[in-house]
Amino acid sequence: MLRPPGDKSITHRALMLASLASGPCELSHVLTGADARSTARALRLLGASVGPLRPGRAVRVRGARWTAPARTLQCGNSGTTARLLLGLLAGHPFETRLTGDASLRRRPMRRVAEPLRAMGAEIREVHGDGLPLAIRGGRLRPISYESPLASAQVKSAVLLAGLVAGVEVTVREPACSRDHTERLLGHLGFDVRVRGATVTFRPPPASSAVPPFRLDIPADMSSATFLVVVAALAEGGELVLENVGVNPTRTGALDVLARMGVHIERRDARTVSGEPVADLVVRPGDLTGTEVTAAEVPRLIDEVPPLAVLASRARGETRFRAVGELRVKESDRLTLLARNLRAVGAEAAVDGDDLVVAGGAPPPVGRVETGRDHRIAMAFAVLGTAPGARVSLSETASPAVSYPAFFEDLHRIAADG
């Protein structure tokens, strides 16, 4: 029995909203990885009091009126930190510069900057579509924004800009993306209305209306998926994962895993802090390939790496359709997945924006180049648990971004098995 780390998406959002609250907040089971620490560090520079992020400890946050930071905000490897902060900074009347590590500086920011500019924020690019950049916020206009892509980060940036500016916003997406921002705002009593893939938010006139709150953050579905795949690759046994967030916008991977033959049972379904939560009981099964449709991708884009390595051990072919967004994650995950699967003896190819993986290969053997991407490193570490596997990684530091105790938990599962 094991509890994966706190949900990364919810941790970012809870820290940011707590930094604006009118009183002290307490957050339990926060993610303590490097990405969450990047958000906490930035919020401290903006004037909030954010306690240390330590495993097993609640984090106490005391909000404040944000002031211009004395130096550039360093967002590390965290796209969520950069993009959501842009939304919040859009409603503050001072200039802020943001940057990140080499990987983050390559990731697109214009997708967030465009709607914020339409609301009235001034955003100055330094080297094209990415970081570093500077934003000067102020009085914003309401917006009804038609997003060209399903992106929780774009949607959340606009909703948070509406919150701090006190203006109504509507975001329409081509498909439903993760809805943690809407759920958290609704849990705190704000007027958020969701109809299909359209969200309308009518905030009060000032950000000081964020009330003090306590929040218990569920375990991260993305992190849990790696452990589910470990259990699926095993020759027998059972794995229980506790308190996993089973938000419907995040459980696409569970649907795919079930189609592939993995036995997954949800127990003790409940709602915690506005989010659905359950314990997952996982048993291996006879694995077969499947097709992951374009419509499913928004609900599992971060889980493609573990699903892809599992597909290499299944019978038949698996095709992941329309996963081109993987090219602009922490690395070019699409290319790295195919290249590394071939490096360990599997058959894999990129076909346009599709990833095609053939199963039935001999036990994986070889060296993997992670690109310093946490999800690539974790996926191939998981593949290395398959019977007869001998997989080595180019580095093992990157999982600390989202799952600091990943290797410890991986070894614990292996020992229990």
Side-chain angles (χ1 to χ4, degrees):
M1 188 173 291
L2 190 151
R3 178 171 181 149
D7 189 282
K8 184 155 73 82
S9 297
I10 300 174
T11 294
H12 286 301
R13 288 155 173 80
L15 287 169
M16 290 180 186
L17 287 175
S19 77
L20 297 169
S22 57
C25 300
E26 184 173 285
L27 312 177
S28 301
H29 297 109
V30 299
L31 174 68
T32 61
D35 276 9
R37 291 176 186 275
S38 292
T39 289
R41 182 173 57 245
L43 296 174
R44 293 182 190 115
L45 286 172
L46 289 162
S49 173
V50 181
L53 276 58
R54 295 173 179 162
R57 299 276 189 90
V59 176
R60 290 173 174 79
V61 181
R62 184 174 292 276
R65 184 178 296 276
W66 284 14
T67 56
R71 58 182 184 272
T72 298
L73 300 184
Q74 171 56 254
C75 300
N77 190 242
S78 177
T80 305
T81 300
R83 291 172 177 149
L84 269 59
L85 279 179
L86 284 173
L88 291 168
L89 289 166
H92 286 87
F94 50 76
E95 182 169 297
T96 307
R97 290 176 59 88
L98 297 89
T99 192
D101 66 11
S103 170
L104 183 56
R105 291 196 300 271
R106 292 192 296 266
R107 299 180 67 183
M109 294 292 149
R110 203 169 286 162
R111 56 179 58 180
V112 170
E114 286 178 352
L116 298 179
R117 284 184 177 123
M119 294 179 74
E122 298 177 20
I123 300 176
R124 187 174 72 257
E125 297 174 356
V126 177
H127 300 301
D129 185 10
L131 297 179
L133 57 73
I135 179 169
R136 179 176 290 277
R139 183 170 295 179
L140 303 182
R141 297 181 289 272
I143 192 173
S144 181
Y145 184 62
E146 191 92 27
S147 179
L149 72 163
S151 167
Q153 293 178 356
V154 173
K155 175 177 60 177
S156 296
V158 174
L159 294 175
L160 294 174
L163 172 67
V164 294
V167 299
E168 181 175 328
V169 296
T170 295
V171 181
R172 297 179 183 84
E173 299 183 286
C176 294
S177 63
R178 298 180 182 187
D179 65 355
H180 299 303
T181 303
E182 303 95 290
R183 285 179 178 268
L184 184 49
L185 290 170
H187 179 67
L188 296 179
F190 291 104
D191 183 2
V192 183
R193 303 182 186 187
V194 180
R195 186 170 184 175
T198 299
V199 180
T200 298
F201 177 36
R202 298 183 176 93
S207 62
S208 61
V210 177
F213 61 92
R214 292 187 174 187
L215 200 73
D216 187 10
I217 297 172
D220 191 289
M221 172 56 70
S222 296
S223 295
T225 300
F226 291 95
L227 306 182
V228 172
V229 171
V230 173
L233 288 169
E235 294 178 318
E238 175 181 284
L239 175 66
V240 180
L241 301 176
E242 295 182 296
N243 297 289
V244 179
V246 289
N247 182 312
T249 65
R250 296 286 301 279
T251 53
L254 297 185
D255 298 338
V256 172
L257 288 161
R259 287 206 305 270
M260 294 180 74
V262 184
H263 301 290
I264 305 173
E265 178 187 350
R266 301 187 193 189
R267 292 181 182 170
D268 192 19
R270 54 209 185 270
T271 299
V272 177
S273 301
E275 290 278 349
V277 172
D279 300 332
L280 302 182
V281 183
V282 188
R283 303 179 189 89
D286 185 19
L287 298 174
T288 59
T290 188
E291 178 176 312
V292 179
T293 67
E296 291 178 293
V297 168
R299 298 174 58 231
L300 54 72
I301 188 66
D302 285 339
E303 291 77 66
V304 172
L307 293 175
V309 300
L310 183 66
S312 73
R313 310 306 306 150
R315 185 175 63 255
E317 181 182 279
T318 298
R319 180 177 286 264
F320 299 85
R321 294 196 177 274
V323 290
E325 180 70 10
L326 290 174
R327 292 190 175 97
V328 292
K329 291 292 187 176
E330 286 85 334
S331 68
D332 180 351
R333 286 181 184 160
L334 190 55
T335 298
L336 278 178
L337 280 169
R339 181 184 299 159
N340 284 316
L341 283 168
R342 293 193 297 268
V344 298
E347 294 182 33
V350 176
D351 181 11
D353 282 343
D354 293 359
L355 175 66
V356 185
V357 182
V365 176
R367 185 177 186 276
V368 167
E369 173 53 60
T370 71
R372 302 196 64 80
D373 184 321
H374 58 128
R375 299 203 192 279
I376 296 293
M378 289 192 289
F380 283 91
V382 163
L383 183 59
T385 68
R390 297 196 310 276
V391 176
S392 63
L393 307 179
S394 61
E395 55 80 32
T396 57
S398 59
V401 164
S402 61
Y403 197 155
F406 172 71
F407 288 106
E408 178 183 332
D409 287 350
L410 192 65
H411 294 150
R412 175 180 166 189
I413 293 172
D416 290 346

